[in-house]
Amino acid sequence: MSNEEAISYAVLALKNTGIDKKRIQQVVSEMRWLFDMLSEEEAVSRADKFL
């Protein structure tokens, strides 16, 4: 899956749960930054620890 495909799923999930457009745009910006800053493995590890 590409980064843009992952972002698209996230946008739709956030929209479907009632998150406002401005907040979704903030999330998309953060996701793009994280794609550059973390490896996939590190992102999975950090997300698992959080949840």
Side-chain angles (χ1 to χ4, degrees):
M1 178 180 305
S2 72
N3 291 351
E4 289 306 309
E5 290 168 332
I7 286 172
S8 296
Y9 279 110
V11 165
L12 294 175
L14 292 164
K15 177 182 171 281
N16 290 346
T17 57
I19 306 300
D20 66 89
K21 188 174 182 176
K22 182 177 178 181
R23 182 71 62 176
I24 292 172
Q25 290 169 333
Q26 291 171 327
V27 170
V28 167
S29 177
E30 183 69 14
M31 286 181 72
R32 288 192 172 119
W33 183 83
L34 287 167
F35 288 147
D36 291 335
M37 301 308 294
L38 301 176
S39 68
E40 292 174 11
E41 295 80 13
E42 189 173 6
V44 168
S45 175
R46 289 186 184 194
D48 286 346
K49 286 178 185 174
F50 177 75
L51 294 177

